[in-house]
Amino acid sequence: MMLPEARGEVSAALIEALRQEPGRGRLPDTSLVGSADPYGDDLQLALYLCYELHYRGFDGVDGAWEWDPELLGVRAALERGFLAALRADVPVAEDVGSALDEAVLEPVDAEGVSYFLRDEGELWHLREYAAQRSLYHLKEADPHVWVIPRLTGRAKAGMVAVEYDEFGAGRAERIHSKLFADLMVDLHLDTSYGRYLDAGSGQMLATVNLMSLFGLHRSHRGALVGHFASVEITSSPASRRLAEALKRAGAGPAAVRFYTEHVEADAVHEQLMRHEVVAGLLQVEPDLAPDVAFGIAATGWLEDRFGEQLLGAWRDGGSSLRVPLVGTGGERTAGVTCPQDPAMVVAERSRRSPVGDSQEWAPE
């Protein structure tokens, strides 16, 4: 994964520092970080870069940066700004039960992204959607693993059961990040990890940063559980609509299967998250209830912002991406396709192993 283009002073200073050995580069000043928009592209990209060092890192970047004390100080300043803004802006339900009920409530006249894609979306809209979502789905469920050693009893057992499914139940071809890569092939998108980081919006980065922030801090274990519960209990209806959108647009079978096969399976995950993970955690640590409710609310709030960004661009007839990408078949240049040779796409499809159940998140 290559370092991306900067989006402002903070990310520019961080990228320049990462190109050098730890201790040699000049990191962003904390006063500069403190003045950055907590939801803006600059801060969100800088935070994403800090977190990515804990996942797969970047080509040419020294692995020692992951635990560099000065960089961790910069990351902490970025996190403080982001978290303070969320706590000030996100309405949180009084109790966890109400928060979960609000998360699954779908208005009759809803107009979210999955409704738009089902009813009006063209193939280029779906390619853009998948390109943006790839920033999470190509490392699907990885941020949530960090909470496992911080749980006990029912909560731990339930969380491991869900994650076991997310990672393919012991079969590499069923790992959910692999299933999403198969979807991307059917949409003629590049499956390289991090390929669309430059194209992804700040709103999308914020949704991924939220789960990394919660996952990396033991103090946010309740919020991480709330976040993951929200993910698992809200996916089925939107996934059904996205499957319908892909069928209508003529996407390939792997793209459709990614959503159709998990619609029913997520009912199992919903029950595990509600009755084992959330209930089990609060039975042992009832004082974490406000954190769980906050995790649920913050997830929905950031997803709504991302949805507004997508729909705002699309309804104006434009691209939701920061960097236009050229397709292989002469499709609209506002849409996203990969500059792959079509023969490579066919070859990749032929290499696929049969896939099983997929329980992917498809939020609004």
Side-chain angles (χ1 to χ4, degrees):
M1 181 177 178
M2 302 297 294
L3 284 168
E5 294 294 323
R7 303 190 187 184
E9 291 183 280
V10 177
S11 56
L14 179 56
I15 290 168
E16 183 59 31
L18 291 176
R19 291 195 172 108
Q20 304 176 57
E21 294 179 3
R24 292 180 177 270
R26 183 184 178 89
L27 290 165
D29 186 85
T30 54
S31 62
L32 183 63
V33 172
S35 63
D37 178 356
Y39 304 122
D41 277 80
D42 190 26
L43 184 144
Q44 291 300 325
L45 177 60
L47 194 51
Y48 192 96
L49 296 175
C50 290
Y51 289 145
E52 189 55 41
L53 296 170
H54 297 287
Y55 293 103
R56 301 192 197 181
F58 298 94
D59 296 347
V61 173
D62 193 324
W65 274 114
E66 181 179 4
W67 298 111
D68 180 76
E70 292 186 24
L71 180 57
L72 291 177
V74 172
R75 194 190 87 186
L78 294 165
E79 290 174 331
R80 283 194 297 271
F82 184 34
L83 194 57
L86 288 172
R87 292 200 179 278
D89 296 337
V90 176
V92 181
E94 293 184 0
D95 58 80
V96 172
S98 298
L100 290 172
D101 291 342
E102 290 177 11
V104 299
L105 183 63
E106 289 204 324
V108 175
D109 58 348
E111 297 182 349
V113 172
S114 63
Y115 290 93
F116 174 89
L117 291 173
R118 182 194 65 185
D119 300 336
E120 306 175 47
E122 300 177 23
L123 194 57
W124 71 269
H125 293 119
L126 290 160
R127 289 182 173 129
E128 289 203 357
Y129 184 75
Q132 296 240 36
R133 287 291 188 193
S134 71
L135 300 181
Y136 165 63
H137 280 304
L138 290 181
K139 60 184 175 195
E140 172 130 11
D142 290 350
H144 309 113
V145 173
W146 281 312
V147 82
I148 291 173
R150 297 159 184 169
L151 303 176
T152 61
R154 292 166 54 202
K156 175 174 281 191
M159 190 72 184
V160 169
V162 175
E163 288 284 82
Y164 180 68
D165 286 347
E166 297 286 341
F167 293 121
R171 294 174 56 183
E173 73 275 10
R174 295 177 62 173
I175 294 174
H176 289 177
S177 59
K178 170 64 168 65
L179 298 185
F180 192 79
D182 291 345
L183 173 148
M184 294 178 74
V185 171
D186 271 359
L187 292 177
H188 296 185
L189 291 167
D190 190 338
T191 62
S192 302
Y193 182 82
R195 169 65 176 81
Y196 296 109
L197 179 54
D198 277 324
S201 67
Q203 289 88 341
M204 179 61 211
L205 294 181
T207 69
V208 185
N209 285 338
L210 183 76
M211 58 188 86
S212 297
L213 189 160
F214 289 162
L216 281 166
H217 293 271
R218 179 182 175 276
S219 60
H220 296 314
R221 62 194 180 280
L224 190 282
V225 165
H227 158 77
F228 199 43
S230 178
V231 166
E232 292 299 318
I233 70 175
T234 60
S235 69
S236 282
S239 294
R240 185 177 293 108
R241 291 188 287 271
L242 289 169
E244 293 170 1
L246 288 159
K247 288 179 183 177
R248 184 175 58 78
V256 176
R257 181 180 294 179
F258 177 81
Y259 291 110
T260 57
E261 290 203 357
H262 79 268
V263 171
E264 294 182 6
D266 264 355
V268 176
H269 286 191
E270 175 182 352
Q271 296 306 310
L272 282 169
M273 291 305 301
R274 279 182 179 269
H275 302 299
E276 299 302 321
V277 183
V278 174
L281 174 65
L282 296 182
Q283 182 181 37
V284 176
E285 298 186 274
D287 56 318
L288 292 182
D291 292 338
V292 175
F294 173 67
I296 296 167
T299 300
W301 194 83
L302 288 176
E303 282 295 326
D304 287 345
R305 288 183 74 251
F306 177 51
E308 290 168 3
Q309 184 260 324
L310 291 174
L311 293 176
W314 292 342
R315 285 174 173 154
D316 285 341
S319 172
S320 68
L321 301 177
R322 300 183 70 258
V323 180
L325 299 170
V326 180
T328 59
E331 294 87 356
R332 173 180 178 147
T333 55
V336 180
T337 56
C338 167
Q340 291 175 316
D341 187 290
M344 293 174 62
V345 175
V346 173
E348 174 63 22
R349 285 175 177 161
S350 70
R351 287 195 295 270
R352 289 200 197 104
S353 302
V355 296
D357 294 342
S358 166
Q359 294 94 25
E360 300 291 347
W361 177 33
E364 289 300 313

